[in-house]
């Protein structure tokens, strides 16, 4: 176990180093730059060139990378090229909104998916099992932004039960009106809840009918003990890795959900930064997203190995 943890941790460090280089390189390869966006079509080539020099965009890529990397190690993410404000301040304002959206969704997935998947896996062919499979198929057929628009049209506009948008609201305002978050959280949760529940269901069903479980029953072990000591640990191992995929999906889905409901979180902030060719902001957002993905995958792999180490016989 210790060797696997050390090897997987070193791999995560290597992934982080690759992410640092990739984030900067991809940001530098964006077509156009901030000077083109700020001056627009009305700016002369001389004005664009002067602004590019003022913003330091005419420096060699290697020089800008060294400056950026040095700032990261000191906690300085740089200043926005469009507003001139520290990038960290913008991240601080937006991360609260994204957390208010993602934390409840993650909590619902964490609590409900294992419960629904276990019940469905232990009762194959039951109404609960059929309902889970039907819901999963339907939700996979409907993109998140379409589901969001359908809920806004039916629940907000037609029925008038919940607010349809959160335009202009920061984290404090959202906390004061939590009803605004109900529809966004529901949209963000739906698909990933079904994905993880189906993974747990498949694992429970496979372990329950496996040779080990059958042998334990022949030894006289009670069904409840078989389920708790063998079926669930064996099923939750692969589910831990799927759980990491769900966290990734929540980050990606936040971009669409925030756009549909007018939430000014990190997803919309990243899109605006790309549109403005604001390289420091693009790199900061991409670094946060990528770092989060690496971290949750590391945790997911370690948990999966701890619950079902036999699955890593070749690691």
């Amino acid at each position: 176990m210790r060797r696997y943890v050390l090897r997987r941790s070193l791999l995560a460090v290597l992934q982080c180093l690759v992410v640092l280089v990739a984030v900067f390189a991809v940001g530098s390869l964006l077509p156009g730059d901030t000077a083109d966006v700020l001056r627009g079509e009305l700016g002369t080539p001389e004005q664009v060139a002067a602004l590019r020099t003022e913003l330091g965009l005419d420096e060699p890529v290697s020089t800008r990378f060294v400056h950026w990397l040095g700032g990261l190690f000191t906690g300085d993410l740089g200043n926005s090229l469009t507003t001139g404000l520290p990038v960290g301040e913008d991240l601080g304002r937006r991360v609260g909104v994204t957390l208010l959206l993602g934390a409840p969704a993650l909590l619902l997935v964490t609590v409900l998916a294992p419960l629904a998947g276990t019940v469905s896996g232990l009762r194959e062919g039951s109404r609960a099992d059929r309902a889970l499979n039907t819901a999963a198929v339907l939700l996979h057929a409907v993109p998140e932004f379409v589901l969001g628009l359908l809920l806004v049209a039916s629940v907000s506009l037609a029925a008038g039960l919940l607010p349809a948008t959160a335009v202009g609201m920061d984290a404090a305002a959202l906390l004061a009106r939590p009803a605004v978050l109900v529809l966004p959280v529901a949209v963000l949760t739906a698909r990933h809840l079904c994905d993880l529940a189906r993974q747990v269901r498949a694992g429970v069903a496979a372990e329950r009918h496996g040779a080990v479980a059958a042998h334990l029953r022949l030894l006289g072990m009670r069904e409840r003990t078989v389920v708790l000591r063998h079926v669930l640990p064996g099923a939750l191992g692969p589910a831990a890795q799927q759980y990491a995929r769900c966290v990734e999906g929540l980050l990606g889905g936040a971009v669409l959900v925030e756009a549909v409901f007018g939430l000014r979180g990190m997803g919309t902030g990243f899109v605006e930064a790309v549109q403005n060719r604001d390289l420091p902001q693009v790199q900061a957002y991409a670094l946060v997203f990528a770092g989060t993905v690496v971290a949750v995958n590391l945790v997911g792999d370690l948990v999966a190995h701890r619950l079902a180490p036999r699955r890593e016989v070749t690691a």
Side-chain angles (χ1 to χ4, degrees):
M1 179 66 183
R2 290 181 179 178
R3 292 180 59 188
Y4 177 78
V5 171
L6 178 60
R7 185 163 57 249
R8 187 60 184 84
S9 300
L10 290 176
L11 177 60
V13 172
L14 178 60
Q15 289 174 326
C16 289
L17 294 176
V18 173
V19 164
L20 287 176
V21 177
V23 165
F24 187 87
V26 172
S28 301
L29 292 175
L30 288 174
D33 56 27
T34 309
D36 295 322
V37 175
L38 292 178
R39 290 304 182 189
E41 297 180 356
L42 301 180
T44 63
E46 292 76 13
Q47 290 174 328
V48 173
L51 181 58
R52 188 174 288 115
T53 301
E54 179 183 346
L55 296 175
L57 298 175
D58 59 344
E59 295 181 351
V61 175
S62 59
T63 301
R64 286 187 283 135
F65 178 71
V66 171
H67 291 164
W68 178 68
L69 196 61
L72 288 181
F73 287 111
T74 60
D76 181 12
L77 296 175
N79 294 332
S80 169
L81 298 181
T82 54
T83 65
L85 298 175
V87 173
E89 291 185 5
D90 182 64
L91 283 174
R93 287 193 298 269
R94 292 180 178 272
V95 70
V97 175
T98 300
L99 286 176
L100 288 176
L101 176 63
L106 190 60
L107 178 62
L108 289 172
V109 170
T110 303
V111 174
L112 297 180
L115 179 61
T118 300
V119 172
S120 180
L122 293 177
R123 300 180 180 179
E124 294 177 88
S126 65
R127 291 182 179 180
D129 186 29
R130 293 195 297 270
L132 175 64
N133 289 324
T134 302
V137 171
L138 291 177
L139 288 174
H140 271 285
V142 181
E144 288 175 321
F145 73 93
V146 175
L147 178 61
L149 294 176
L150 290 174
L151 289 179
V152 167
S154 58
V155 178
S156 298
L157 301 182
L161 298 177
L162 292 169
T165 182
V167 174
M169 299 179 69
D170 58 9
L174 291 173
L175 284 174
R177 293 187 61 195
V180 176
L181 291 170
V182 173
L183 292 184
V185 169
V187 174
L188 193 59
T189 303
R191 174 176 294 187
H192 304 293
L193 173 60
C194 288
D195 283 346
L196 186 57
R198 290 189 71 188
Q199 177 67 52
V200 174
R201 185 259 184 206
V204 169
E207 295 291 342
R208 182 167 173 259
H209 297 298
V212 176
H215 180 69
L216 293 176
R217 294 187 186 99
L218 289 176
L219 294 177
M221 188 174 291
R222 293 183 301 174
E223 183 66 21
R224 179 180 178 182
T225 305
V226 172
V227 170
L228 293 178
R229 294 188 179 181
H230 169 71
V231 173
L232 290 183
L236 293 179
Q241 295 173 314
Q242 178 62 34
Y243 184 78
R245 307 290 97 77
C246 287
V247 176
E248 295 178 24
L250 290 176
L251 286 175
V255 177
L256 295 175
V257 174
E258 287 175 5
V260 171
F261 292 94
L263 292 164
R264 293 189 60 79
M266 295 184 66
T268 52
F270 179 69
V271 172
E272 292 173 6
V274 173
Q275 292 174 340
N276 294 330
R277 303 298 189 272
D278 195 331
L279 190 56
Q281 284 194 332
V282 171
Q283 292 166 340
Y285 282 113
L287 192 61
V288 171
F289 290 146
T292 303
V293 169
V294 171
V296 298
N297 276 284
L298 172 61
V299 174
D301 287 348
L302 294 180
V303 172
H305 183 78
R306 178 65 182 86
L307 291 174
R310 64 186 181 278
R311 298 180 183 275
E312 302 291 344
V313 292
T314 61

